[in-house]
PDB file of all heavy atoms in Angstrom:
ATOM      1  N   HIS A  32      -1.981   9.836   1.678  1.00 97.00           N
ATOM      2  CA  HIS A  32      -1.369   9.554   0.200  1.00 97.00           C
ATOM      3  C   HIS A  32       0.056   9.206   0.310  1.00 97.00           C
ATOM      4  O   HIS A  32       0.845   9.806   1.180  1.00 97.00           O
ATOM      5  CB  HIS A  32      -1.598  10.888  -0.586  1.00 97.00           C
ATOM      6  CG  HIS A  32      -1.400  10.540  -2.118  1.00 97.00           C
ATOM      7  ND1 HIS A  32      -2.149   9.728  -2.763  1.00 97.00           N
ATOM      8  CD2 HIS A  32      -0.428  11.093  -2.901  1.00 97.00           C
ATOM      9  CE1 HIS A  32      -1.751   9.695  -4.006  1.00 97.00           C
ATOM     10  NE2 HIS A  32      -0.751  10.477  -4.146  1.00 97.00           N
ATOM     11  N   ARG A  33       0.396   8.302  -0.574  1.00 97.00           N
ATOM     12  CA  ARG A  33       1.859   7.807  -0.673  1.00 97.00           C
ATOM     13  C   ARG A  33       2.167   7.827  -2.073  1.00 97.00           C
ATOM     14  O   ARG A  33       1.525   7.335  -2.927  1.00 97.00           O
ATOM     15  CB  ARG A  33       1.985   6.641  -0.001  1.00 97.00           C
ATOM     16  CG  ARG A  33       3.335   5.977   0.105  1.00 97.00           C
ATOM     17  CD  ARG A  33       3.340   4.613   0.724  1.00 97.00           C
ATOM     18  NE  ARG A  33       4.629   4.097   1.018  1.00 97.00           N
ATOM     19  CZ  ARG A  33       5.386   3.426   0.051  1.00 97.00           C
ATOM     20  NH1 ARG A  33       4.918   3.321  -1.190  1.00 97.00           N
ATOM     21  NH2 ARG A  33       6.670   3.061   0.462  1.00 97.00           N
ATOM     22  N   VAL A  34       3.432   8.338  -2.454  1.00 97.00           N
ATOM     23  CA  VAL A  34       3.876   8.161  -3.796  1.00 97.00           C
ATOM     24  C   VAL A  34       5.422   7.687  -3.755  1.00 97.00           C
ATOM     25  O   VAL A  34       6.180   8.106  -2.902  1.00 97.00           O
ATOM     26  CB  VAL A  34       4.018   9.683  -4.460  1.00 97.00           C
ATOM     27  CG1 VAL A  34       4.732   9.564  -5.759  1.00 97.00           C
ATOM     28  CG2 VAL A  34       2.728  10.264  -4.564  1.00 97.00           C
ATOM     29  N   ASP A  35       5.568   6.600  -4.461  1.00 96.00           N
ATOM     30  CA  ASP A  35       6.995   6.068  -4.600  1.00 96.00           C
ATOM     31  C   ASP A  35       7.075   5.758  -6.140  1.00 96.00           C
ATOM     32  O   ASP A  35       6.696   4.657  -6.577  1.00 96.00           O
ATOM     33  CB  ASP A  35       7.038   4.789  -3.826  1.00 96.00           C
ATOM     34  CG  ASP A  35       8.508   4.320  -3.601  1.00 96.00           C
ATOM     35  OD1 ASP A  35       9.346   4.759  -4.287  1.00 96.00           O
ATOM     36  OD2 ASP A  35       8.720   3.305  -2.860  1.00 96.00           O
ATOM     37  N   ARG A  36       7.752   6.531  -6.745  1.00 96.00           N
ATOM     38  CA  ARG A  36       7.752   6.558  -8.313  1.00 96.00           C
ATOM     39  C   ARG A  36       9.133   6.716  -8.845  1.00 96.00           C
ATOM     40  O   ARG A  36      10.049   7.368  -8.484  1.00 96.00           O
ATOM     41  CB  ARG A  36       6.997   7.793  -8.700  1.00 96.00           C
ATOM     42  CG  ARG A  36       6.711   8.031 -10.285  1.00 96.00           C
ATOM     43  CD  ARG A  36       5.887   9.219 -10.607  1.00 96.00           C
ATOM     44  NE  ARG A  36       4.643   9.132  -9.905  1.00 96.00           N
ATOM     45  CZ  ARG A  36       4.178  10.228  -9.300  1.00 96.00           C
ATOM     46  NH1 ARG A  36       4.674  11.338  -9.368  1.00 96.00           N
ATOM     47  NH2 ARG A  36       2.875  10.146  -8.723  1.00 96.00           N
ATOM     48  N   LEU A  37       9.277   5.774  -9.907  1.00 92.00           N
ATOM     49  CA  LEU A  37      10.506   6.042 -10.816  1.00 92.00           C
ATOM     50  C   LEU A  37       9.947   6.806 -12.070  1.00 92.00           C
ATOM     51  O   LEU A  37       9.140   6.142 -12.766  1.00 92.00           O
ATOM     52  CB  LEU A  37      11.045   4.645 -11.213  1.00 92.00           C
ATOM     53  CG  LEU A  37      12.227   4.620 -12.281  1.00 92.00           C
ATOM     54  CD1 LEU A  37      13.382   5.563 -11.841  1.00 92.00           C
ATOM     55  CD2 LEU A  37      12.536   3.286 -12.614  1.00 92.00           C
ATOM     56  N   GLU A  38      10.442   8.051 -12.271  1.00 91.00           N
ATOM     57  CA  GLU A  38      10.006   8.782 -13.425  1.00 91.00           C
ATOM     58  C   GLU A  38      10.834   8.304 -14.714  1.00 91.00           C
ATOM     59  O   GLU A  38      12.033   8.758 -14.811  1.00 91.00           O
ATOM     60  CB  GLU A  38      10.215  10.216 -13.232  1.00 91.00           C
ATOM     61  CG  GLU A  38       9.354  10.862 -12.124  1.00 91.00           C
ATOM     62  CD  GLU A  38       7.891  10.882 -12.576  1.00 91.00           C
ATOM     63  OE1 GLU A  38       7.610  10.780 -13.811  1.00 91.00           O
ATOM     64  OE2 GLU A  38       7.020  11.118 -11.681  1.00 91.00           O
ATOM     65  N   MET A  39      10.225   7.358 -15.468  1.00 91.00           N
ATOM     66  CA  MET A  39      11.041   6.806 -16.530  1.00 91.00           C
ATOM     67  C   MET A  39      11.510   7.957 -17.497  1.00 91.00           C
ATOM     68  O   MET A  39      12.592   7.754 -18.251  1.00 91.00           O
ATOM     69  CB  MET A  39      10.207   5.816 -17.221  1.00 91.00           C
ATOM     70  CG  MET A  39       9.900   4.581 -16.276  1.00 91.00           C
ATOM     71  SD  MET A  39      11.282   3.683 -15.923  1.00 91.00           S
ATOM     72  CE  MET A  39      11.553   2.726 -17.284  1.00 91.00           C
ATOM     73  N   ALA A  40      10.620   9.006 -17.710  1.00 91.00           N
ATOM     74  CA  ALA A  40      11.092   9.919 -18.710  1.00 91.00           C
ATOM     75  C   ALA A  40      12.367  10.572 -18.520  1.00 91.00           C
ATOM     76  O   ALA A  40      13.051  10.893 -19.466  1.00 91.00           O
ATOM     77  CB  ALA A  40       9.888  10.882 -19.066  1.00 91.00           C
ATOM     78  N   VAL A  41      12.663  10.831 -17.221  1.00 90.00           N
ATOM     79  CA  VAL A  41      13.881  11.552 -16.944  1.00 90.00           C
ATOM     80  C   VAL A  41      14.762  10.688 -15.954  1.00 90.00           C
ATOM     81  O   VAL A  41      15.779  11.139 -15.474  1.00 90.00           O
ATOM     82  CB  VAL A  41      13.603  12.891 -16.319  1.00 90.00           C
ATOM     83  CG1 VAL A  41      12.977  13.847 -17.185  1.00 90.00           C
ATOM     84  CG2 VAL A  41      12.807  12.739 -15.027  1.00 90.00           C
ATOM     85  N   MET A  42      14.397   9.525 -15.752  1.00 88.00           N
ATOM     86  CA  MET A  42      14.987   8.541 -14.836  1.00 88.00           C
ATOM     87  C   MET A  42      15.393   9.194 -13.545  1.00 88.00           C
ATOM     88  O   MET A  42      16.505   9.129 -13.058  1.00 88.00           O
ATOM     89  CB  MET A  42      16.428   8.031 -15.482  1.00 88.00           C
ATOM     90  CG  MET A  42      16.131   7.237 -16.780  1.00 88.00           C
ATOM     91  SD  MET A  42      15.050   5.878 -16.565  1.00 88.00           S
ATOM     92  CE  MET A  42      16.028   4.757 -15.599  1.00 88.00           C
ATOM     93  N   ALA A  43      14.330   9.645 -12.825  1.00 92.00           N
ATOM     94  CA  ALA A  43      14.393  10.237 -11.575  1.00 92.00           C
ATOM     95  C   ALA A  43      13.586   9.465 -10.601  1.00 92.00           C
ATOM     96  O   ALA A  43      12.669   8.717 -10.965  1.00 92.00           O
ATOM     97  CB  ALA A  43      14.044  11.592 -11.493  1.00 92.00           C
ATOM     98  N   ARG A  44      13.790   9.550  -9.258  1.00 94.00           N
ATOM     99  CA  ARG A  44      13.077   8.988  -8.323  1.00 94.00           C
ATOM    100  C   ARG A  44      12.252  10.093  -7.372  1.00 94.00           C
ATOM    101  O   ARG A  44      12.816  11.046  -7.178  1.00 94.00           O
ATOM    102  CB  ARG A  44      13.937   8.101  -7.289  1.00 94.00           C
ATOM    103  CG  ARG A  44      14.792   7.126  -7.788  1.00 94.00           C
ATOM    104  CD  ARG A  44      14.037   5.833  -7.961  1.00 94.00           C
ATOM    105  NE  ARG A  44      13.389   5.259  -6.785  1.00 94.00           N
ATOM    106  CZ  ARG A  44      13.799   4.487  -5.814  1.00 94.00           C
ATOM    107  NH1 ARG A  44      15.119   4.085  -5.922  1.00 94.00           N
ATOM    108  NH2 ARG A  44      13.037   4.032  -4.765  1.00 94.00           N
ATOM    109  N   VAL A  45      11.048   9.693  -7.072  1.00 96.00           N
ATOM    110  CA  VAL A  45      10.262  10.600  -6.224  1.00 96.00           C
ATOM    111  C   VAL A  45       9.538   9.776  -5.182  1.00 96.00           C
ATOM    112  O   VAL A  45       9.094   8.661  -5.487  1.00 96.00           O
ATOM    113  CB  VAL A  45       9.217  11.282  -7.090  1.00 96.00           C
ATOM    114  CG1 VAL A  45       8.270  12.130  -6.215  1.00 96.00           C
ATOM    115  CG2 VAL A  45       9.849  12.125  -8.285  1.00 96.00           C
TER     116      VAL A  45
END
Side-chain angles (χ1 to χ4, degrees):
H32 190 64
R33 182 179 189 279
V34 173
D35 192 352
R36 181 180 304 139
L37 171 62
E38 294 288 347
M39 298 292 286
V41 293
M42 295 305 290
R44 299 275 313 266
V45 176

